[in-house]
Amino acid sequence: MSTSTDHGRPDPEATPSALSRDGRPVSDRGDTVCVIGAGASGLTAIKNLREHGFGVDCYERETGIGGAWNWRHDRSPVYASTHLISSKPFTQFPDFPMPDSWPDYPHHSQLLSYFERYADHFDLRSHIWFGTEVIRVEPAAGERWDVTTRSTGGYGPERTSQYAAVVVANGHNWSPKLPRYEGLEQFRGEIMHASSYKDPAQLRGKRVLVVGAGNTGCDIAVEAAQQASRCWHSTRRGYWYAPKYVLGRPADQVNDALLALRVPLRVRQWLYHWTLRLTVGNLTRFGLPRPDHRVYETHPIANSQLVYYVGHGAIGPVPDVARFHPYAVELTDGREIDPELVIFATGYLPRFEFLDASVFGDSAGVGRPTLWLNAFTPGHPTLAVAGLVQPDSGLFTLSHWQTVLFARLLQARRDRPERAAAFAQRVRDRAGERYSAQVKESSRHWFEVGHADYLRAVQRALHDLEGK
């Protein structure tokens, strides 16, 4: 029996009950589950594990909840104007709706207040260690885990506790992916990754080049169109730029209605193309490159303003960067431009600094685990990842059901071991399955899922686990 405080947290003064493999003292937390991160996925993991009867210790490196949506956090990619790109019904947790009075696409400050209310409603804060970072997670005997923590920033002693299971919910949009270009080190202008962009004042009066056509790159290009003295937007290929509203409704709600009717992918692609022809027209007449792929074969870009500002001459579409010179940027078509500020909106790479890459089957060590349902890793039935998905809709519902499934798996390991063993076999057999249309191969699409297909797969896994 482990010693704990009134909230179920380990007592710092408790006598260690074991030693780790390298001789460090370990505090045994019994059947308690460790959750890493108190963002959206970590919060729903705490709630669902608690509702299924498990004790939980959550470690959060920042001093508040919200993860990426708390723009006061060092690792938050959020900027002042950030709004949801998925509409409210497809973003909210299924058991905690957002207020009816909120807009279709809430602002990031509203999202943070939503998480605050969620945490208070389900009494989650008492299970969170704030200002505490996880530095090591190591397999221990009996399919348990040694988790070593310390105060964020490296201050204070390290502490190792042993847990029955671990949920990794540290997010995947915080470690910038920076491109490499010839001559970049010699460029005399200012360079930043989009993770450092916070306010339009950073653009005001400058000649700005935005590199990258994801949702963030398009948002920053639109803000540069309004604030910068000149804006270029560099993309490697053509993309489909979807309006946020179709037929007077948020576009994802219209698409979901088609999914509910089981409309085949080819038909949905045709309807999407037809809608874009009516609302946007031929993008090549604006100087934008023709897409080299079908709709739904890249992550959706929802932006109603980019084409508007391109059409008004405030954004200049340009091809990919070929190389940098000290005072100019050369493009792949041979042109040179002279930006003062270059913003790389080139995305992020997942990082699990506290885990050996082999645990997730990431043999190349690039942050791409081999998982079933983007959550379960072969050979480690008491380890799960929450939120490592890039859906065509909102994330929170998917994280909710991922963590419900993991909580029920832990219950099955205790009460119905034969079903837990069958689940573990499915993890081994089906790790790496995809749940989306055929998408372009790039790190941006490593975790791409179609939300309807994915939720059906999770539902089948729940039914199989429960013997239905």
Side-chain angles (χ1 to χ4, degrees):
M1 181 71 68
S2 61
T3 306
S4 63
T5 64
D6 292 340
H7 292 304
R9 297 178 173 183
D11 183 352
E13 304 302 322
T15 302
S17 56
L19 294 177
S20 67
R21 286 177 293 182
D22 59 2
R24 286 177 280 117
V26 176
S27 176
D28 185 0
R29 294 293 291 131
D31 293 333
T32 301
V33 180
C34 172
V35 175
I36 302 172
S41 299
L43 291 175
T44 196
I46 301 170
K47 183 202 72 94
N48 287 322
L49 287 162
R50 293 289 300 165
E51 287 184 348
H52 284 78
F54 295 98
V56 178
D57 291 341
C58 175
Y59 296 108
E60 169 54 55
R61 71 184 308 277
E62 302 285 354
T63 57
I65 65 170
W69 288 99
N70 190 330
W71 80 327
R72 293 184 292 270
H73 290 176
D74 290 343
R75 292 178 171 180
S76 171
V78 165
Y79 38 94
S81 63
T82 301
H83 286 72
L84 286 174
I85 60 169
S86 56
S87 66
K88 188 170 59 177
F90 294 101
T91 303
Q92 62 198 9
F93 292 115
D95 53 358
F96 196 77
M98 294 181 183
D100 291 340
S101 60
W102 280 14
D104 291 326
Y105 298 100
H107 186 256
H108 71 80
S109 60
Q110 293 174 301
L111 262 291
L112 181 57
S113 71
Y114 174 71
F115 294 137
E116 299 276 358
R117 290 204 292 269
Y118 182 86
D120 292 339
H121 180 79
F122 292 109
D123 188 26
L124 306 182
R125 296 179 196 272
S126 60
H127 306 285
I128 304 172
W129 289 75
F130 291 105
T132 305
E133 62 182 347
V134 173
I135 58 174
R136 280 189 304 277
V137 175
E138 301 163 299
E143 296 179 332
R144 297 172 63 79
W145 298 89
D146 289 343
V147 179
T148 302
T149 60
R150 67 184 177 197
S151 296
T152 302
Y155 303 106
E158 296 181 3
R159 174 183 175 82
T160 301
S161 301
Q162 190 170 104
Y163 291 93
V166 171
V167 176
V168 177
N170 66 325
H172 61 279
N173 287 323
W174 57 267
S175 179
K177 177 187 175 186
L178 287 165
R180 296 179 180 179
Y181 290 106
E182 179 185 341
L184 183 59
E185 296 79 7
Q186 285 73 48
F187 181 63
R188 300 296 180 86
E190 183 182 357
I191 293 173
M192 72 165 65
H193 187 271
S195 59
S196 300
Y197 175 75
K198 297 299 176 185
D199 191 271
Q202 294 170 268
L203 311 172
R204 197 162 295 149
K206 297 179 180 179
R207 299 186 304 278
V208 177
L209 169 63
V210 181
V211 179
N215 286 289
T216 298
C218 291
D219 281 351
I220 297 175
V222 166
E223 296 197 347
Q226 301 168 72
Q227 300 291 335
S229 63
R230 187 165 184 184
C231 172
W232 299 276
H233 188 204
S234 169
T235 61
R236 286 182 300 173
R237 61 166 62 99
Y239 290 90
W240 302 102
Y241 299 100
K244 281 195 164 184
Y245 287 90
V246 175
L247 305 175
R249 302 291 298 173
D252 60 353
Q253 295 180 23
V254 176
N255 182 55
D256 196 71
L258 297 175
L259 289 171
L261 294 171
R262 300 293 182 97
V263 175
L265 173 62
R266 291 297 189 201
V267 177
R268 287 190 292 116
Q269 288 174 325
W270 181 86
L271 288 170
Y272 193 116
H273 282 279
W274 179 79
T275 301
L276 287 182
R277 281 198 299 270
L278 288 177
T279 57
V280 180
N282 183 356
L283 293 178
T284 60
R285 65 178 291 270
F286 296 98
L288 292 163
R290 185 183 301 277
D292 62 355
H293 56 278
R294 293 176 179 269
V295 174
Y296 303 121
E297 291 181 357
T298 61
H299 189 69
I301 299 171
N303 193 300
S304 299
Q305 296 180 290
L306 183 85
V307 175
Y308 173 89
Y309 282 105
V310 171
H312 285 72
I315 297 175
V318 296
D320 198 6
V321 172
R323 61 187 57 82
F324 282 77
H325 300 289
Y327 296 99
V329 176
E330 184 179 339
L331 305 171
T332 53
D333 63 2
R335 283 183 290 166
E336 289 191 1
I337 56 177
D338 60 341
E340 300 169 83
L341 170 63
V342 178
I343 301 178
F344 289 121
T346 46
Y348 300 84
L349 289 173
R351 291 179 64 189
F352 309 99
E353 304 161 298
F354 42 79
L355 266 170
D356 188 286
S358 63
V359 171
F360 277 152
D362 179 19
S363 57
V366 295
R368 187 180 187 179
T370 301
L371 306 171
W372 183 46
L373 295 172
N374 289 52
F376 303 98
T377 182
H380 297 286
T382 55
L383 176 68
V385 187
L388 192 63
V389 287
Q390 189 79 13
D392 59 355
S393 183
L395 169 66
F396 309 155
T397 295
L398 277 62
S399 296
H400 167 88
W401 288 111
Q402 283 179 326
T403 54
V404 167
L405 178 57
F406 187 55
R408 293 184 186 173
L409 171 63
L410 295 180
Q411 284 184 330
R413 284 174 54 81
R414 180 189 62 206
D415 303 329
R416 308 293 290 269
E418 72 285 354
R419 292 184 182 171
F423 186 96
Q425 185 60 51
R426 282 193 291 276
V427 173
R428 287 190 290 270
D429 293 343
R430 300 170 64 181
E433 278 187 350
R434 302 294 293 266
Y435 305 93
S436 68
Q438 185 65 41
V439 293
K440 289 286 183 180
E441 182 58 38
S442 74
S443 60
R444 185 186 184 201
H445 299 122
W446 281 353
F447 311 114
E448 191 77 16
V449 301
H451 74 282
D453 291 340
Y454 184 83
L455 288 173
R456 279 194 286 267
V458 172
Q459 184 180 43
R460 286 194 297 270
L462 279 167
H463 287 173
D464 290 344
L465 191 60
E466 295 166 359
K468 294 182 179 179

